Amino acid sequence: QVQLVESGGGLVQAGGSLTLTCSASVRVFGILHMAWYRQAPGKERELVARILNSERRNYSDSVKGRFTISRDNAKKTVYLRMTSLTPDDTAMYYCNAVPAVAGGSESWGQGTQVTVSS
């Protein structure tokens, strides 16, 4: 299983920016599809952005044009650059890894809190 550690969360004013980082402890990072999810209090966990091992990206409609997901395979790290933040973006953000090969299991980080004040 992959160990994932998120960082970069915090308190920011509406309109501000943050960059989240997820570092993976794994032998081969390049075979992982990586994603960021978030969960606000009282709500279900939702997909924010995904980047496949092919570098193909997709975003939820709510963050499209404001958030950018990227990865650095050499550093075994995935990033989420968040701009034009609104209070609706307030949530715990989780890093997720799914192997692109058969037989692997899904992994989650412990989460990092993002709070956007109005």
Side-chain angles (χ1 to χ4, degrees), residues 84-98:
S84 302
L85 287 162
T86 75
D88 288 342
D89 296 314
T90 295
M92 185 72 79
Y93 283 71
Y94 297 92
C95 184
N96 171 271
V98 176

Side-chain angles (χ1 to χ4, degrees), residues 43-59:
K43 295 187 177 181
E44 293 187 356
R45 191 171 296 190
E46 63 173 354
L47 176 67
V48 175
R50 177 183 287 118
I51 182 166
L52 304 183
N53 64 340
S54 64
E55 300 272 353
R56 182 174 179 175
R57 299 165 172 81
N58 63 279
Y59 299 91

Side-chain angles (χ1 to χ4, degrees), residues 17-58:
S17 301
L18 279 175
T19 298
L20 305 184
T21 299
C22 172
S23 299
S25 295
V26 64
R27 191 167 61 88
V28 182
F29 183 75
I31 65 169
L32 299 175
H33 300 318
M34 301 298 298
W36 287 96
Y37 286 74
R38 68 185 180 186
Q39 187 168 20
K43 295 187 177 181
E44 293 187 356
R45 191 171 296 190
E46 63 173 354
L47 176 67
V48 175
R50 177 183 287 118
I51 182 166
L52 304 183
N53 64 340
S54 64
E55 300 272 353
R56 182 174 179 175
R57 299 165 172 81
N58 63 279

Side-chain angles (χ1 to χ4, degrees), residues 3 17 20 32 34 36 61 64 70 74 76 82 98 102 107:
Q3 289 190 326
S17 301
L20 305 184
L32 299 175
M34 301 298 298
W36 287 96
D61 288 342
K64 202 170 294 184
S70 61
K76 301 181 181 181
M82 307 184 293
V98 176
S107 300

Side-chain angles (χ1 to χ4, degrees), residues 8 11-19 66 80-85:
L11 174 63
V12 62
Q13 288 188 331
S17 301
L18 279 175
T19 298
R66 300 188 298 122
L80 185 69
R81 176 64 177 168
M82 307 184 293
T83 65
S84 302
L85 287 162

